[in-house]
Amino acid sequence: MKNSIVWLASYPKSGNTWTRIFLANYLANTKEPMPINQVNKFGMGDAIAKTYHMVARRQIDTRDLALTLSLRDKVLRGIVANNADVNLVKTHNIKSVARGVDLIPTKYTRSAIYIMRDPRDMVLSAARHYGEPVDQVVSRIARSDNATQADDKTVAVFQGSWSEHVKSWTSYAPYPVLTLRYEDMLANPHEEFAKTLTHLGVPVDPERLDRAVRHASFDEVSKQEAEAGFVEKPAGAEKFFASGRSGQWKTDLDPALADQICKDHAKTMKKFGYLE
């Protein structure tokens, strides 16, 4: 089987969905914006419950960690079985091992695009997204055992701490890894998204690039969500596309929590330009 998976990897609420929407619009190359609820046609997630039911050939208990982990290799093998050169796969999993299972096997991997975001902004977005108090999110992203709970639609995702997640994806790998910062994507979307196309081996056409950037803009996707909803929005969240800005932590995050994040993740934040 081909090692065709290109991982679109990130900690949650760091720009993964924006990147996928851009790529869908560029690859579709339509005059009108791609409906956000059709973006999954250009890639899939690695935690979708129905794929685990499919490979098990029965309805499984998605909350059974041992079972879902035992099925993960079959799920990934099923993705690469189409014999395509590239399969885009979204993941929030850490690039590590969970209970002896390799979450991101090299044998199926072609390359990876890793998107990170200032954790001080990320916690604000995550708190809104998951309906959690911000202090709980700050505490959670400092823990090595941080993982999302399974539900009827998704299996558990093993994230680890923010620093561990970033380090796992940005340290040495036997395949190409493109690292992007959300803040750079906001400041220079054409330049940063062109990097993703070059990484994928897709020719960069300036006019097509400009159109895809516009079609994936915050204004466009938030308008679409208001009109038709977004299938990836959690049931408890008011909306998926809430702000999209950077530096919001300076006014909206309790200074004590900002200090705690800097204390917990100082080394990684300094390495990637989030701290002096």
Side-chain angles (χ1 to χ4, degrees):
M1 289 188 181
K2 289 185 177 180
N3 52 340
S4 61
I5 292 178
V6 176
W7 299 100
L8 301 178
S10 71
Y11 219 69
K13 308 309 294 179
S14 298
N16 199 311
T17 301
W18 183 22
T19 304
R20 291 186 292 122
I21 292 172
F22 163 78
L23 288 172
N25 274 284
Y26 191 90
L27 296 171
N29 194 26
T30 55
K31 292 277 172 57
E32 298 300 319
M34 164 73 64
I36 54 176
N37 289 318
Q38 292 181 24
V39 167
N40 56 5
K41 293 180 179 179
F42 291 84
M44 63 180 299
D46 66 342
I48 301 170
K50 67 180 180 181
T51 59
Y52 286 76
H53 300 316
M54 196 180 303
V55 298
R57 297 183 178 179
R58 62 184 175 88
Q59 202 77 2
I60 65 165
D61 178 3
T62 55
R63 294 162 182 79
D64 185 335
L65 277 179
L67 176 58
T68 57
L69 281 170
S70 73
L71 293 171
R72 184 171 177 82
D73 189 76
K74 286 184 178 180
V75 168
L76 299 181
R77 203 184 322 148
I79 292 172
V80 302
N82 62 7
N83 215 32
D85 290 331
V86 172
N87 283 290
L88 299 174
V89 180
K90 166 195 167 182
T91 187
H92 290 315
N93 276 294
I94 190 170
K95 185 162 76 72
S96 187
V97 172
R99 298 192 177 186
V101 174
D102 187 355
L103 297 172
I104 312 294
T106 299
K107 63 183 176 179
Y108 300 132
T109 302
R110 178 186 178 102
S111 67
I113 297 171
Y114 185 69
I115 309 132
M116 74 176 73
R117 184 182 189 182
D118 188 323
R120 293 167 294 190
D121 278 330
M122 184 269 293
V123 295
L124 290 172
S125 184
R128 283 193 301 268
H129 186 77
Y130 295 113
E132 279 185 87
V134 180
D135 61 339
Q136 284 187 22
V137 180
V138 171
S139 174
R140 183 163 54 74
I141 70 163
R143 298 203 321 260
S144 294
D145 65 351
N146 181 32
T148 62
Q149 298 297 312
D151 57 30
D152 291 339
K153 292 185 177 180
T154 60
V155 299
V157 175
F158 299 84
Q159 296 165 3
S161 75
W162 179 80
S163 291
E164 290 168 339
H165 199 278
V166 172
K167 184 178 178 181
S168 77
W169 281 101
T170 59
S171 56
Y172 169 77
Y175 44 79
V177 178
L178 171 65
T179 300
L180 302 173
R181 296 194 328 159
Y182 183 78
E183 296 73 22
D184 299 330
M185 294 160 65
L186 283 175
N188 301 293
H190 292 75
E191 180 181 333
E192 296 302 302
F193 282 130
K195 291 178 183 177
T196 68
L197 299 172
T198 300
H199 178 84
L200 293 171
V202 177
V204 179
D205 176 87
E207 183 180 341
R208 188 172 169 182
L209 173 66
D210 182 64
R211 186 165 58 247
V213 168
R214 284 187 283 108
H215 288 177
S217 69
F218 181 81
D219 286 346
E220 172 59 35
V221 298
S222 57
K223 182 186 81 171
Q224 285 196 38
E225 182 181 16
E227 292 173 351
F230 186 38
V231 293
E232 296 185 26
K233 182 185 77 69
E238 185 179 342
K239 52 186 176 179
F240 188 97
F241 302 104
S243 170
R245 294 183 287 125
S246 67
Q248 196 172 354
W249 67 269
K250 295 174 184 175
T251 55
D252 292 6
L253 184 62
D254 183 329
L257 293 177
D259 289 344
Q260 185 63 50
I261 291 170
C262 294
K263 179 182 177 183
D264 293 339
H265 307 285
K267 186 175 180 181
T268 306
M269 291 177 73
K270 285 178 183 176
K271 180 176 180 180
F272 291 98
Y274 293 122
L275 283 180
E276 297 295 327

